[in-house]
Amino acid sequence: MLESALKEQLKGIFANLEGNFTFDIYVSPQHEHRNELVELLTDVADCSSHISCRVNEGKRLEFTLLKNDHKTGITFRGVPNGHEFTSLLLAILNLDGKGKNFPDEQVCNRVKALKGPIRLTTYVSLTCTNCPDVVQALNAMTTLNEAITHEMVDGALYQDEVEALKIQGVPSVFADGKLLHVGRGDFGELLSELEARYGVEESRIEATVKNYDVIVAGGGPAGVSAAIYSARKGLRVAIVAERVGGQVKETVGIENLISVVHTTGNELADNLKSHLLQYPVDLLEHRKIVSVEVIGKEKVVTTSVGEKFSAPAFIIATGASWRKLNVPREADYIGKGVAFCPHCDGPFYKGKHVAVVGGGNSGIEAAIDLAGICSKVTVFEFMDELKADSVLQEKAKSLSNVEIFVSSQTVEVIGDGDKLTALRIKDRKTEEERLVELDGVFVQIGLAANSASFRDVVEMNRSGEIVIDTHGRTNVPGIYAAGDVSTVPYKQIIIAMGEGAKAALSAFEDRVRGVI
């Protein structure tokens, strides 16, 4: 099943395994995917003398990872092909202490301090690019805390459960049978949600305080650029971020980063991290900055994992997030008909009628993609004309199952308590309202600045963007902003990179001049 070249790679990956691992398989002899699962796991096991398979008769299709004949708490209900194959490999390496996706010590300690028992189940699609991040994060947490168990479930194989749980978006994470999280999520976000639900033993966590010359908030193109430029000046630099790459990771194709003909969001994020790690920068992922206090020339920041860091220069590069409709009942149906990622959640609406709210490039691209899956796609644009590039508009208008309405305001999400059933749309010219029956809606109305944590610290405009001058300086000496979180026009990757460098150089200049 696995190609010979891949098997050779796996032999190298598993060469230094110390523990003995068993795929404890339970599967019905009649299951249509039995042979596929057994062949895949047998091929993996053949790549190391430390891995074996044990096939048992069961009622469904699943396997549990054992280490030295003891349960590890990690289960896969499905065939971990596609994007989830990496999740399987990382689970083995993590359990053997050789995985490279564990967070830093402070975050690991918070996982260990979670109060259990915690039983987690994640429903995925093997075509979803966001699902592996969630599966891998929760598997890592299971490895760190013996009170946690986690199982990955391929929703396509367990449609009865998907329907019973009314799942309409992936990944969907359930904690002890109750929905915990839907959609893209990183380690820090998932940990925060678990802490809120289960609590932590605070006595097991040591408070830390550390001083730097420059602290950068945000790990996207602007934040990484600012950190690198600061480090190249010989300064002590920390970068605090939920993840390196930021919003870039949600971009499928990038063709306007000059000198790079084509790349993907994930590739660019990996390259950003590789470049960053060439310098002595403290990379603190999986957390947010929740507050900032200005004490004299020092900026003291507190993170979501309870740390405090101090520096005279603070560069805000936290980017932006998908903007929500902010209409009644939208929040109630996120993951139940309201979605933001057509690539991840589009397959759930095969043969159904969906809407796309937004007529910019992202909205029309989403409509074109969804038209190949859904029976009908209806686009609602608030303005009097579409904002997307003409080539995208022409393509969308050529599709027989795409209809487009401009001057259309979404005023309410309608549902039956379990899932979305319709949108209330107002014609902005006639003021007339109508109900449009739908199976789902994909919100594509742009980005909102991630600036809430700094609202009481620096000046912002009405849109929540941090006001900066031509050098990236805010109204507070020693605090700078760069990229999509700021008032800089044109939210582009290449511009964010330049703005991050500019903010770092301004901070260094202020340091030399004695301003900070």
Side-chain angles (χ1 to χ4, degrees):
M1 188 173 185
L2 296 181
E3 295 181 357
S4 57
L6 178 56
K7 283 187 174 182
E8 289 302 314
Q9 288 183 321
L10 293 181
K11 289 178 182 178
I13 291 172
F14 295 143
N16 297 317
L17 287 181
E18 298 176 33
N20 293 310
F21 297 91
T22 303
F23 299 134
D24 199 20
I25 306 166
Y26 286 83
V27 59
S28 166
Q30 290 76 39
H31 198 288
E32 61 177 321
H33 292 282
R34 181 186 188 279
N35 290 341
E36 182 184 3
L37 176 66
V38 173
E39 288 177 14
L40 173 66
L41 297 182
T42 300
D43 280 357
V44 174
D46 287 342
C47 296
S48 173
S49 60
H50 288 267
I51 304 175
S52 61
C53 292
R54 184 163 65 207
V55 182
N56 310 279
E57 187 172 331
K59 294 182 179 180
R60 52 189 186 184
L61 180 142
E62 66 180 348
F63 69 96
T64 298
L65 270 176
L66 306 182
K67 180 180 179 182
N68 299 329
D69 274 335
H70 291 93
K71 291 184 177 180
T72 64
I74 296 176
T75 299
F76 291 81
R77 280 205 280 138
V79 183
N81 277 323
H83 296 294
E84 294 302 342
F85 186 64
T86 302
S87 299
L88 172 62
L89 303 184
L90 277 175
I92 297 170
L93 294 174
N94 284 343
L95 287 165
D96 205 51
K98 296 177 177 59
K100 296 183 179 180
N101 69 324
F102 281 117
D104 57 88
E105 184 179 3
Q106 182 72 8
V107 176
C108 287
N109 287 339
R110 291 200 73 89
V111 175
K112 294 174 183 177
L114 281 168
K115 297 177 180 178
I118 302 172
R119 182 174 57 87
L120 301 173
T121 305
T122 303
Y123 290 86
V124 307
S125 165
L126 296 182
T127 62
C128 170
T129 56
N130 288 328
C131 291
D133 289 340
V134 171
V135 171
Q136 291 163 23
L138 297 179
N139 280 346
M141 291 186 197
T142 302
T143 302
L144 291 167
N145 188 329
E146 62 182 13
I148 301 174
T149 63
H150 176 235
E151 63 176 353
M152 181 221 80
V153 181
D154 180 359
L157 298 185
Y158 292 91
Q159 282 293 323
D160 54 339
E161 293 181 30
V162 169
E163 293 174 6
L165 294 168
K166 300 178 176 63
I167 294 172
Q168 290 187 288
V170 290
S172 287
V173 182
F174 289 79
D176 290 299
K178 296 181 180 179
L179 186 64
L180 177 78
H181 178 93
V182 178
R184 178 182 66 81
D186 58 34
F187 198 107
E189 182 180 1
L190 294 163
L191 176 56
S192 295
E193 290 169 342
L194 288 170
E195 287 180 333
R197 181 168 297 187
Y198 292 95
V200 295
E201 298 285 353
E202 291 289 353
S203 60
R204 299 183 60 182
I205 302 171
E206 294 183 8
T208 62
V209 180
K210 194 168 183 180
N211 298 317
Y212 293 94
D213 297 317
V214 180
I215 297 172
V216 179
V224 170
S225 177
I228 289 174
Y229 265 73
S230 296
R232 286 175 62 85
K233 295 295 184 181
L235 303 177
R236 295 171 298 156
V237 182
I239 183 168
V240 181
E242 294 180 66
R243 57 177 180 169
V244 172
Q247 192 77 10
V248 159
K249 289 181 72 72
E250 297 181 27
T251 304
V252 177
I254 300 169
E255 298 178 341
N256 57 354
L257 184 58
I258 308 307
S259 83
V260 180
V261 176
H262 176 82
T263 187
T264 67
N266 280 327
E267 288 172 345
L268 179 56
D270 289 343
N271 289 336
L272 287 172
K273 189 169 187 176
S274 295
H275 196 174
L276 179 68
L277 294 178
Q278 296 299 309
Y279 296 90
V281 174
D282 281 0
L283 174 57
L284 305 170
E285 288 188 280
H286 311 302
R287 68 260 279 161
K288 299 179 182 179
I289 290 178
V290 296
S291 66
V292 180
E293 186 179 5
V294 180
I295 304 176
K297 289 186 177 182
E298 291 295 306
K299 288 75 187 177
V300 180
V301 302
T302 302
T303 74
S304 54
V305 296
E307 306 147 308
K308 286 187 180 293
F309 302 118
S310 175
F314 179 49
I315 301 174
I316 304 170
T318 44
S321 301
W322 291 115
R323 192 183 299 276
K324 294 182 173 61
L325 293 169
N326 292 320
V327 298
R329 280 172 287 285
E330 176 190 25
D332 296 338
Y333 292 101
I334 291 177
K336 300 178 180 180
V338 176
F340 298 88
C341 179
H343 304 291
C344 301
D345 298 336
F348 283 93
Y349 299 90
K350 183 177 181 179
K352 297 182 179 181
H353 180 193
V354 301
V356 173
V357 178
N361 283 346
S362 60
I364 300 304
E365 286 176 352
I368 293 169
D369 289 344
L370 291 166
I373 302 172
C374 305
S375 61
K376 183 178 180 180
V377 181
T378 303
V379 178
F380 296 111
E381 164 57 36
F382 182 84
M383 304 300 289
D384 295 337
E385 59 182 19
L386 297 180
K387 298 167 288 183
D389 294 342
S390 58
V391 65
L392 294 175
Q393 293 189 40
E394 291 170 7
K395 175 63 176 177
K397 291 174 181 177
S398 73
L399 299 173
S400 61
N401 62 336
V402 175
E403 61 178 356
I404 298 171
F405 295 93
V406 296
S407 305
S408 299
Q409 179 181 356
T410 305
V411 295
E412 186 180 7
V413 171
I414 307 296
D416 61 9
D418 293 324
K419 64 182 185 301
L420 173 148
T421 57
L423 292 180
R424 187 180 302 279
I425 303 294
K426 181 172 75 172
D427 187 311
R428 294 178 53 248
K429 292 184 177 179
T430 65
E431 297 294 317
E432 292 183 2
E433 294 187 0
R434 62 188 175 113
L435 281 183
V436 180
E437 294 186 354
L438 298 160
D439 298 298
V441 57
F442 289 83
V443 182
Q444 300 282 296
I445 56 174
L447 302 171
N450 295 324
S451 59
S453 298
F454 319 111
R455 183 176 293 114
D456 298 327
V457 182
V458 293
E459 180 185 357
M460 299 183 188
N461 64 14
R462 292 180 60 185
S463 299
E465 297 171 328
I466 297 173
V467 177
I468 58 172
D469 65 12
T470 56
H471 291 73
R473 297 183 176 97
T474 71
N475 64 313
V476 179
I479 299 184
Y480 313 83
D484 290 4
V485 76
S486 75
T487 52
V488 66
Y490 311 120
K491 312 303 187 184
Q492 298 289 311
I493 293 170
I494 195 166
I495 292 174
M497 287 179 172
E499 289 294 306
K502 184 194 297 181
L505 293 173
S506 294
F508 183 73
E509 180 182 0
D510 289 348
R511 178 185 180 88
V512 172
R513 291 168 50 217
V515 175
I516 60 174

